[in-house]
Amino acid sequence: MDEVIQIGDRVEIYFDAKFGEKEGWYEGTVFKIEPYSEHRSFYWVHLSAEAQLTLGIRQISVFNVKNIKKL
């Protein structure tokens, strides 16, 4: 992840193949960042209305930086 992600940023998060037909990128907004270590954090994302309907969840935490990108 080259870009710094901050609270309030619009992002896309990736659900990989283990999510079956729900695999893909979904939009949301970062509302909380929990530091895990000096170089990694959990990014809490409030999902867009469309993503909520598709996935059946309102928010999720993302740890793997390959699965989150700033819009």
Side-chain angles (χ1 to χ4, degrees), residues 52-66:
Q52 288 180 36
L53 287 173
T54 303
L55 300 170
I57 58 174
R58 292 184 56 202
Q59 60 192 35
I60 191 166
S61 66
V62 179
F63 183 68
N64 187 337
V65 295
K66 294 186 308 184

Side-chain angles (χ1 to χ4, degrees), residues 6-33:
Q6 299 177 348
I7 293 173
D9 284 347
R10 298 280 305 149
V11 295
E12 284 188 317
I13 60 170
Y14 183 69
F15 279 57
D16 61 20
K18 70 182 171 194
F19 292 94
E21 59 189 45
K22 294 180 181 178
E23 177 181 11
W25 289 95
Y26 296 91
E27 291 186 20
T29 304
V30 175
F31 70 92
K32 184 177 181 180
I33 300 173

Side-chain angles (χ1 to χ4, degrees), residues 40-52:
R40 295 194 66 183
S41 296
F42 287 96
Y43 296 93
W44 284 90
V45 177
H46 184 267
L47 296 167
S48 69
E50 182 180 335
Q52 288 180 36

